[in-house]
Amino acid sequence: MSTARPQPSDSEVDDLLRNAQLRDELEPYFDESIGRLNVADLPTPVENEFLASMLAWERAPALPISQWFEPELILPQPEELSDEALHKTLWETIEKLFTKRILLDFTDHLSDRALYCLICRDILQTQEKKVDAPKNYLHWDCSDAGSDNDVWLRYYASDDDRQAWADDFPEPLPPREAPPYRRDMPKAPF
């Protein structure tokens, strides 16, 4: 009876070498997030993908989103555009943002002009880490859920979300409404 161990494949060896390289490169940035990764539960290629995304995040520059584009994305002021021109420019801008893996979520409660203003005055001016990773998408929550949950609760929250909210907070919920401006926005591939 032979007790020889199976030899690792070349790809397994490459994965282990890449893992060691990624961990070495992440050493200056080491914090509890690496320690939280339970490597026993992950195949090495999946762990490597996670470590590579962390390294990309750490090395990414923080820039205004308008400067993610070459040349810089500068839009006409909303008051300079007719409704028709604004609609056209809005959709061109949404497509440009998508080319940089920026997705606009929860937009259906905003008119074209309100969404365009949000892009011009808030999104393009905000500094974000420009992470160069093909599976990384920046999701921009256009419901402003961070400061006003009324919009999210009114238009986007599921029945379960609304019930959980009602259980946690004593104030009455806003009535549920269908968002007035349905859009078929670009989405990240699964």
Side-chain angles (χ1 to χ4, degrees), residues 91 95 108 182-187:
W91 280 100
E95 291 299 326
D108 293 348
R182 292 281 185 191
R183 293 185 180 89
D184 187 18
M185 300 294 282
K187 293 179 179 32

mmCIF file with all atom_site columns, all heavy atoms in Angstrom, residues 91 95 108 182-187:
data_model
loop_
_atom_site.group_PDB
_atom_site.id
_atom_site.type_symbol
_atom_site.label_atom_id
_atom_site.label_alt_id
_atom_site.label_comp_id
_atom_site.label_asym_id
_atom_site.label_entity_id
_atom_site.label_seq_id
_atom_site.pdbx_PDB_ins_code
_atom_site.Cartn_x
_atom_site.Cartn_y
_atom_site.Cartn_z
_atom_site.occupancy
_atom_site.B_iso_or_equiv
_atom_site.pdbx_formal_charge
_atom_site.auth_seq_id
_atom_site.auth_comp_id
_atom_site.auth_asym_id
_atom_site.auth_atom_id
_atom_site.pdbx_PDB_model_num
ATOM 1  N N   . TRP A 1 91  ? -28.443 60.889 -20.544 1.00 0.00 ? 91  TRP A N   1
ATOM 2  C CA  . TRP A 1 91  ? -28.205 59.497 -20.916 1.00 0.00 ? 91  TRP A CA  1
ATOM 3  C C   . TRP A 1 91  ? -26.795 59.276 -21.437 1.00 0.00 ? 91  TRP A C   1
ATOM 4  O O   . TRP A 1 91  ? -26.190 58.230 -21.188 1.00 0.00 ? 91  TRP A O   1
ATOM 5  C CB  . TRP A 1 91  ? -29.274 59.011 -21.888 1.00 0.00 ? 91  TRP A CB  1
ATOM 6  C CG  . TRP A 1 91  ? -30.497 58.666 -21.106 1.00 0.00 ? 91  TRP A CG  1
ATOM 7  C CD1 . TRP A 1 91  ? -31.611 59.426 -20.939 1.00 0.00 ? 91  TRP A CD1 1
ATOM 8  C CD2 . TRP A 1 91  ? -30.672 57.509 -20.285 1.00 0.00 ? 91  TRP A CD2 1
ATOM 9  N NE1 . TRP A 1 91  ? -32.485 58.802 -20.079 1.00 0.00 ? 91  TRP A NE1 1
ATOM 10 C CE2 . TRP A 1 91  ? -31.932 57.616 -19.664 1.00 0.00 ? 91  TRP A CE2 1
ATOM 11 C CE3 . TRP A 1 91  ? -29.903 56.392 -20.017 1.00 0.00 ? 91  TRP A CE3 1
ATOM 12 C CZ2 . TRP A 1 91  ? -32.435 56.649 -18.793 1.00 0.00 ? 91  TRP A CZ2 1
ATOM 13 C CZ3 . TRP A 1 91  ? -30.397 55.413 -19.151 1.00 0.00 ? 91  TRP A CZ3 1
ATOM 14 C CH2 . TRP A 1 91  ? -31.645 55.551 -18.554 1.00 0.00 ? 91  TRP A CH2 1
ATOM 15 N N   . GLU A 1 95  ? -24.144 56.697 -19.505 1.00 0.00 ? 95  GLU A N   1
ATOM 16 C CA  . GLU A 1 95  ? -23.316 55.709 -20.223 1.00 0.00 ? 95  GLU A CA  1
ATOM 17 C C   . GLU A 1 95  ? -21.829 55.952 -19.958 1.00 0.00 ? 95  GLU A C   1
ATOM 18 O O   . GLU A 1 95  ? -21.068 54.993 -19.789 1.00 0.00 ? 95  GLU A O   1
ATOM 19 C CB  . GLU A 1 95  ? -23.617 55.751 -21.723 1.00 0.00 ? 95  GLU A CB  1
ATOM 20 C CG  . GLU A 1 95  ? -25.002 55.248 -22.086 1.00 0.00 ? 95  GLU A CG  1
ATOM 21 C CD  . GLU A 1 95  ? -25.235 53.789 -21.694 1.00 0.00 ? 95  GLU A CD  1
ATOM 22 O OE1 . GLU A 1 95  ? -24.288 52.971 -21.748 1.00 0.00 ? 95  GLU A OE1 1
ATOM 23 O OE2 . GLU A 1 95  ? -26.383 53.467 -21.329 1.00 0.00 ? 95  GLU A OE2 1
ATOM 24 N N   . ASP A 1 108 ? -35.377 56.285 -9.887  1.00 0.00 ? 108 ASP A N   1
ATOM 25 C CA  . ASP A 1 108 ? -36.701 56.391 -10.494 1.00 0.00 ? 108 ASP A CA  1
ATOM 26 C C   . ASP A 1 108 ? -37.634 57.404 -9.836  1.00 0.00 ? 108 ASP A C   1
ATOM 27 O O   . ASP A 1 108 ? -38.716 57.667 -10.358 1.00 0.00 ? 108 ASP A O   1
ATOM 28 C CB  . ASP A 1 108 ? -37.380 55.020 -10.522 1.00 0.00 ? 108 ASP A CB  1
ATOM 29 C CG  . ASP A 1 108 ? -36.683 54.043 -11.442 1.00 0.00 ? 108 ASP A CG  1
ATOM 30 O OD1 . ASP A 1 108 ? -35.816 54.469 -12.224 1.00 0.00 ? 108 ASP A OD1 1
ATOM 31 O OD2 . ASP A 1 108 ? -36.998 52.839 -11.369 1.00 0.00 ? 108 ASP A OD2 1
ATOM 32 N N   . ARG A 1 182 ? -39.629 55.831 -14.284 1.00 0.00 ? 182 ARG A N   1
ATOM 33 C CA  . ARG A 1 182 ? -38.995 54.520 -14.487 1.00 0.00 ? 182 ARG A CA  1
ATOM 34 C C   . ARG A 1 182 ? -37.873 54.627 -15.518 1.00 0.00 ? 182 ARG A C   1
ATOM 35 O O   . ARG A 1 182 ? -38.061 55.187 -16.599 1.00 0.00 ? 182 ARG A O   1
ATOM 36 C CB  . ARG A 1 182 ? -40.020 53.492 -14.961 1.00 0.00 ? 182 ARG A CB  1
ATOM 37 C CG  . ARG A 1 182 ? -41.036 53.145 -13.927 1.00 0.00 ? 182 ARG A CG  1
ATOM 38 C CD  . ARG A 1 182 ? -40.450 52.188 -12.948 1.00 0.00 ? 182 ARG A CD  1
ATOM 39 N NE  . ARG A 1 182 ? -41.473 51.748 -12.004 1.00 0.00 ? 182 ARG A NE  1
ATOM 40 C CZ  . ARG A 1 182 ? -41.185 51.082 -10.930 1.00 0.00 ? 182 ARG A CZ  1
ATOM 41 N NH1 . ARG A 1 182 ? -39.950 50.775 -10.641 1.00 0.00 ? 182 ARG A NH1 1
ATOM 42 N NH2 . ARG A 1 182 ? -42.141 50.727 -10.113 1.00 0.00 ? 182 ARG A NH2 1
ATOM 43 N N   . ARG A 1 183 ? -36.709 54.081 -15.155 1.00 0.00 ? 183 ARG A N   1
ATOM 44 C CA  . ARG A 1 183 ? -35.553 54.077 -16.055 1.00 0.00 ? 183 ARG A CA  1
ATOM 45 C C   . ARG A 1 183 ? -34.958 52.681 -16.103 1.00 0.00 ? 183 ARG A C   1
ATOM 46 O O   . ARG A 1 183 ? -34.899 51.994 -15.092 1.00 0.00 ? 183 ARG A O   1
ATOM 47 C CB  . ARG A 1 183 ? -34.476 55.042 -15.557 1.00 0.00 ? 183 ARG A CB  1
ATOM 48 C CG  . ARG A 1 183 ? -34.856 56.482 -15.602 1.00 0.00 ? 183 ARG A CG  1
ATOM 49 C CD  . ARG A 1 183 ? -33.659 57.362 -15.203 1.00 0.00 ? 183 ARG A CD  1
ATOM 50 N NE  . ARG A 1 183 ? -34.056 58.752 -15.246 1.00 0.00 ? 183 ARG A NE  1
ATOM 51 C CZ  . ARG A 1 183 ? -34.585 59.408 -14.213 1.00 0.00 ? 183 ARG A CZ  1
ATOM 52 N NH1 . ARG A 1 183 ? -34.754 58.802 -13.049 1.00 0.00 ? 183 ARG A NH1 1
ATOM 53 N NH2 . ARG A 1 183 ? -34.939 60.666 -14.348 1.00 0.00 ? 183 ARG A NH2 1
ATOM 54 N N   . ASP A 1 184 ? -34.451 52.328 -17.258 1.00 0.00 ? 184 ASP A N   1
ATOM 55 C CA  . ASP A 1 184 ? -33.725 51.073 -17.415 1.00 0.00 ? 184 ASP A CA  1
ATOM 56 C C   . ASP A 1 184 ? -32.237 51.421 -17.375 1.00 0.00 ? 184 ASP A C   1
ATOM 57 O O   . ASP A 1 184 ? -31.612 51.642 -18.398 1.00 0.00 ? 184 ASP A O   1
ATOM 58 C CB  . ASP A 1 184 ? -34.114 50.393 -18.730 1.00 0.00 ? 184 ASP A CB  1
ATOM 59 C CG  . ASP A 1 184 ? -33.513 49.012 -18.854 1.00 0.00 ? 184 ASP A CG  1
ATOM 60 O OD1 . ASP A 1 184 ? -33.091 48.442 -17.835 1.00 0.00 ? 184 ASP A OD1 1
ATOM 61 O OD2 . ASP A 1 184 ? -33.463 48.499 -19.992 1.00 0.00 ? 184 ASP A OD2 1
ATOM 62 N N   . MET A 1 185 ? -31.700 51.474 -16.154 1.00 0.00 ? 185 MET A N   1
ATOM 63 C CA  . MET A 1 185 ? -30.323 51.904 -15.946 1.00 0.00 ? 185 MET A CA  1
ATOM 64 C C   . MET A 1 185 ? -29.348 50.754 -16.221 1.00 0.00 ? 185 MET A C   1
ATOM 65 O O   . MET A 1 185 ? -29.691 49.589 -16.046 1.00 0.00 ? 185 MET A O   1
ATOM 66 C CB  . MET A 1 185 ? -30.139 52.376 -14.501 1.00 0.00 ? 185 MET A CB  1
ATOM 67 C CG  . MET A 1 185 ? -31.027 53.545 -14.125 1.00 0.00 ? 185 MET A CG  1
ATOM 68 S SD  . MET A 1 185 ? -30.620 55.053 -15.014 1.00 0.00 ? 185 MET A SD  1
ATOM 69 C CE  . MET A 1 185 ? -29.186 55.572 -14.101 1.00 0.00 ? 185 MET A CE  1
ATOM 70 N N   . PRO A 1 186 ? -28.115 51.094 -16.639 1.00 0.00 ? 186 PRO A N   1
ATOM 71 C CA  . PRO A 1 186 ? -27.096 50.046 -16.790 1.00 0.00 ? 186 PRO A CA  1
ATOM 72 C C   . PRO A 1 186 ? -26.861 49.344 -15.452 1.00 0.00 ? 186 PRO A C   1
ATOM 73 O O   . PRO A 1 186 ? -26.961 49.961 -14.388 1.00 0.00 ? 186 PRO A O   1
ATOM 74 C CB  . PRO A 1 186 ? -25.841 50.820 -17.205 1.00 0.00 ? 186 PRO A CB  1
ATOM 75 C CG  . PRO A 1 186 ? -26.315 52.150 -17.665 1.00 0.00 ? 186 PRO A CG  1
ATOM 76 C CD  . PRO A 1 186 ? -27.600 52.412 -16.966 1.00 0.00 ? 186 PRO A CD  1
ATOM 77 N N   . LYS A 1 187 ? -26.567 48.055 -15.529 1.00 0.00 ? 187 LYS A N   1
ATOM 78 C CA  . LYS A 1 187 ? -26.362 47.255 -14.323 1.00 0.00 ? 187 LYS A CA  1
ATOM 79 C C   . LYS A 1 187 ? -25.041 46.489 -14.438 1.00 0.00 ? 187 LYS A C   1
ATOM 80 O O   . LYS A 1 187 ? -24.608 46.161 -15.535 1.00 0.00 ? 187 LYS A O   1
ATOM 81 C CB  . LYS A 1 187 ? -27.503 46.267 -14.148 1.00 0.00 ? 187 LYS A CB  1
ATOM 82 C CG  . LYS A 1 187 ? -28.836 46.956 -13.851 1.00 0.00 ? 187 LYS A CG  1
ATOM 83 C CD  . LYS A 1 187 ? -29.952 45.958 -13.701 1.00 0.00 ? 187 LYS A CD  1
ATOM 84 C CE  . LYS A 1 187 ? -31.283 46.568 -13.377 1.00 0.00 ? 187 LYS A CE  1
ATOM 85 N NZ  . LYS A 1 187 ? -31.597 47.855 -13.867 1.00 0.00 ? 187 LYS A NZ  1
#
